[in-house]
């Protein structure tokens, strides 16, 4: 099948590559010429495990192409995915300018029946608006469907190739059949299509992401209570999770959620609820608890060292909003490092993949170490902010030797608190009295 994916970011590049890997002819379109130039040279602008190899293989086979020519790509394709960003606007709603620009361009280029797929996370009613924008320029047949994406950064290729479910919101049997054909190769053992009307599909994505955000905020609130009453949040988590009704995912206390999705999707759902005079207390609280969680962590540092951090050096392990990605968008590390700098502290950071984006945020305001241990040199303490695998079993003797004082603030509860005490560390984590 001939497919184009408009927007070659974390979602579009992964989706386009995986669709090409299933034998489709795919054109990935972007208007960022620098990004396209890199891709043409075989340089992948984002980090996702397994992505680079898959891109190379599919480019070599001639199934995957990159282009800035949206019109040409649309003309050649039967299915056109819109996967551009929908960032947060000032009032909390999703900023729809990129999606609507693309819809207009599709309207000007379309030359026959096509399925236009909203893959971006968009508010209820967007498919209708996309349809109207295309219809302004074109009076032939086409359908607009909603196909929200559920991949997780850090495991995006795997998630796309083996999805838990594929939600298709469609009011046209013809378009539904084409979408099923697109995704059938991804379901070799069991079909996991969830087919519904367009508005319900648009809503499903916000409902799912906000639920996960609420789970994380709940875990954090419980951890804070544990800390106050002397219970151990890690034991409480394990005790809770063994109940099948609760499950084990998204209940790790820490620094709260970040990234380009949960914060903005929670805000957008909140705005939708307000605009429609519906209740929104739970959704609003998820966001408030999340912001507060970072402040609580910063206060632990200020409690130990005082408000004036000048003369103090902080070694930071992990900058990205989660492991296995280079994405720094809305990362808790941004809030925490900015607070340290505002209070006069010095930061020596290490992250396996996040430096390029980090340098655009802090430039020379912080030091970028070549290894996790180099970041510790002469530092007063270590802060663990992202749970990369390589931080799980470090050489604690070496850490102790390199730090001025053996103090670790662990925002991700990576180590056994009892053992850390035995090793001679002052270990300050989340959800345990310290
Ligand atoms: N990142 C995730 O984990 C994730 C997961 C599920 C859903 N989503 C949703 O998918 C959408 C895309 O997210 P992302 O993280 O991939 O965004 P991104 O910012 O990484 O990528 C968006 C791309 O669209 C391009 N673009 C913008 N306007 C364009 C235009 N007119 N023509 C061609 N290209 C254009 C940009 O240059 C950029 O490369 C968002 O709605 C997001 O909420 C993201």
């Amino acid at each position: 099948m001939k497919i184009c994916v408009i927007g070659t970011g974390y979602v579009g590049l992964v989706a386009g590559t995986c669709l090409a890997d299933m034998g489709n002819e795919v054109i990935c379109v972007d208007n960022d010429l620098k990004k396209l130039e890199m891709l043409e040279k075989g340089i992948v602008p984002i980090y996702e495990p397994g992505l680079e190899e898959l891109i190379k293989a599919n480019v070599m086979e001639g199934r995957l192409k990159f282009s800035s020519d949206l019109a040409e790509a649309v003309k050649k394709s039967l299915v056109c995915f819109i996967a551009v960003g929908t960032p947060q606007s000032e009032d909390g709603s999703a900023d729809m300018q990129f999606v609507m620009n693309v819809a207009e361009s599709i309207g000007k280029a379309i030359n026959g029946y096509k399925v236009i797929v909203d893959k971006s996370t968009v508010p209820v009613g967007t498919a209708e608006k996309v349809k109207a924008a295309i219809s302004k320029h074109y009076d032939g047949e086409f359908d607009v469907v909603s196909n929200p994406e559920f991949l997780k950064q850090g495991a995006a290729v795997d998630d796309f190739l083996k999805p838990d479910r594929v939600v298709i919101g469609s009011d046209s049997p013809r378009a539904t059949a084409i979408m099923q054909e697109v995704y059938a190769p991804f379901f070799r053992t069991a079909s996991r299509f969830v087919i519904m009307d367009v508005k319900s599909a648009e809503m499903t994505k916000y409902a799912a992401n906000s639920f996960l955000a609420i789970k994380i905020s709940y875990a954090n609130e419980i951890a804070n209570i544990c800390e106050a009453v002397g219970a151990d949040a890690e034991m409480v988590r394990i005790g809770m999770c063994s109940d099948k009704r609760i499950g084990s995912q998204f209940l790790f206390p820490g620094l709260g959620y970040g990234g380009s999705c949960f914060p903005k999707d929670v805000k957008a759902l909140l705005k939708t609820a307000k605009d429609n005079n519906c209740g929104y207390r739970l959704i609003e609280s998820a966001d408030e608890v999340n912001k507060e969680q970072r402040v609580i962590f910063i206060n632990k540092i200020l409690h130990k060292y005082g408000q004036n951090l000048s003369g103090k050096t902080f070694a930071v392990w992990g900058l990205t909003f989660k492991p296995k990605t280079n994405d720094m968008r809305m990362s808790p590390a941004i809030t925490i490092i900015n607070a340290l700098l505002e209070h006069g502290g010095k930061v020596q950071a290490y992250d396996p993949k996040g430096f390029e984006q980090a340098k655009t945020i802090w430039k020379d305001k912080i030091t970028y170490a070549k290894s996790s241990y180099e970041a510790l040199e002469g530092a007063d303490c270590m802060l663990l902010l992202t749970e990369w695998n390589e931080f799980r079993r470090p050489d604690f003797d070496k850490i102790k030797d390199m730090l001025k004082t053996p103090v670790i603030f662990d925002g991700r509860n990576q180590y056994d608190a009892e053992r850390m005490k035995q090793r001679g560390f002052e270990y300050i984590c989340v959800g345990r009295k310290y």
Side-chain angles (χ1 to χ4, degrees):
M1 196 180 288
K2 293 192 167 144
I3 296 174
C4 71
V5 182
I6 305 162
T8 307
Y10 287 88
V11 167
L13 185 56
V14 170
T17 306
C18 294
L19 288 164
D21 204 51
M22 291 296 164
N24 299 294
E25 277 180 51
V26 178
I27 307 175
C28 279
V29 179
D30 210 284
N31 59 0
D32 181 341
L33 299 180
K34 249 172 87 184
K35 199 178 253 190
L36 291 175
E37 203 179 301
M38 285 172 82
L39 284 162
E40 292 293 351
K41 285 186 194 151
I43 305 165
V44 181
I46 58 169
Y47 175 70
E48 263 306 326
L51 183 61
E52 193 171 329
E53 298 85 320
L54 214 58
I55 291 178
K56 273 193 185 135
N58 284 283
V59 167
M60 284 255 290
E61 294 297 330
R63 288 189 296 259
L64 180 61
K65 295 196 166 71
F66 303 103
S67 170
S68 59
D69 192 342
L70 185 150
E72 176 79 1
V74 168
K75 285 191 171 84
K76 282 186 178 158
S77 305
L78 171 63
V79 180
C80 307
F81 283 88
I82 305 178
V84 295
T86 47
Q88 191 183 311
S89 305
E90 256 173 42
D91 66 358
S93 62
D95 181 348
M96 296 305 295
Q97 60 165 312
F98 304 106
V99 170
M100 294 319 294
N101 279 346
V102 169
E104 289 276 340
S105 308
I106 293 175
K108 290 177 191 161
I110 188 167
N111 58 346
Y113 179 79
K114 295 181 194 298
V115 183
I116 312 302
V117 188
D118 283 341
K119 168 76 67 200
S120 301
T121 303
V122 290
V124 176
T126 299
E128 278 171 11
K129 290 183 184 157
V130 166
K131 199 169 186 169
I134 296 171
S135 298
K136 271 203 297 187
H137 307 278
Y138 171 74
D139 60 6
E141 280 184 301
F142 70 99
D143 284 304
V144 179
V145 303
S146 164
N147 169 223
E149 182 50 58
F150 298 98
L151 63 75
K152 301 179 290 297
Q153 282 179 237
V157 171
D158 230 36
D159 286 349
F160 200 93
L161 291 173
K162 289 177 243 150
D164 289 338
R165 79 297 208 188
V166 168
V167 171
I168 297 168
S170 166
D171 301 327
S172 147
R174 183 178 181 185
T176 307
I178 292 172
M179 290 304 288
Q180 284 180 299
E181 209 182 313
V182 169
Y183 280 107
F186 297 92
F187 296 137
R188 284 173 54 219
T189 45
S191 164
R192 295 204 178 84
F193 286 111
V194 184
I195 299 187
M196 57 181 82
D197 62 282
V198 173
K199 285 188 174 172
S200 302
E202 290 171 334
M203 186 65 193
T204 299
K205 175 67 188 174
Y206 285 105
N209 268 9
S210 298
F211 179 70
L212 295 174
I214 288 168
K215 255 184 127 176
I216 294 170
S217 284
Y218 181 76
N220 282 330
E221 201 155 82
I222 291 293
N224 296 338
I225 302 171
C226 288
E227 205 167 297
V229 299
D232 179 339
E234 182 53 15
M235 296 319 301
V236 172
R237 184 187 68 78
I238 295 166
M240 261 175 80
C241 288
S242 44
D243 184 331
K244 281 200 197 93
R245 294 169 303 175
I246 295 174
S248 60
Q249 296 198 35
F250 285 78
L251 284 172
F252 290 91
L255 298 172
Y257 53 81
S260 70
C261 292
F262 287 0
K264 79 166 171 63
D265 292 349
V266 167
K267 288 256 173 47
L269 184 60
L270 186 59
K271 181 75 171 56
T272 301
K274 283 182 180 169
D275 288 349
N276 289 279
N277 298 316
C278 301
Y280 48 77
R281 271 174 294 181
L282 266 179
I283 307 163
E284 191 170 50
S285 302
D287 182 50
E288 283 168 3
V289 171
N290 195 57
K291 277 193 218 132
E292 185 61 22
Q293 199 63 13
R294 297 174 192 192
V295 175
I296 290 171
F297 190 75
I298 294 162
N299 284 343
K300 286 178 181 173
I301 302 168
L302 297 178
H303 177 76
K304 168 137 186 84
Y305 295 112
Q307 295 290 320
N308 183 359
L309 300 179
S310 55
K312 295 276 173 244
T313 300
F314 298 88
V316 170
W317 281 12
L319 296 172
T320 51
F321 86 93
K322 66 190 290 199
K324 297 189 190 165
T325 180
N326 65 330
D327 199 349
M328 288 284 306
R329 290 180 287 186
M330 302 294 281
S331 175
I334 300 177
T335 322
I336 291 157
I337 291 181
N338 282 347
L340 297 176
L341 297 175
E342 274 161 31
H343 285 269
K346 245 184 84 190
V347 172
Q348 297 177 171
Y350 170 73
D351 187 279
K353 298 283 175 196
F355 277 171
E356 214 173 297
Q357 290 191 20
K359 283 176 184 169
T360 66
I361 301 172
W362 291 294
K363 301 188 175 70
D364 57 2
K365 285 194 190 133
I366 67 170
T367 309
Y368 307 92
K370 287 193 190 71
S371 71
S372 49
Y373 293 106
E374 191 185 292
L376 302 172
E377 253 176 55
D380 291 272
C381 64
M382 187 265 265
L383 270 49
L384 198 156
L385 303 186
T386 316
E387 66 278 32
W388 285 90
N389 280 352
E390 65 178 80
F391 303 152
R392 290 221 178 135
R393 292 278 172 275
D395 181 338
F396 288 106
D397 291 336
K398 199 165 165 183
I399 296 179
K400 237 168 125 182
D401 280 350
M402 295 186 83
L403 288 175
K404 273 195 213 155
T405 45
V407 181
I408 294 180
F409 291 87
D410 182 356
R412 303 292 180 176
N413 285 357
Q414 290 298 285
Y415 311 129
D416 181 312
E418 236 12 88
R419 292 204 60 200
M420 291 305 282
K421 228 188 242 169
Q422 289 160 11
R423 287 182 179 119
F425 281 93
E426 185 178 349
Y427 180 62
I428 298 149
C429 54
V430 182
R432 272 184 82 129
K433 241 192 180 120
Y434 61 92

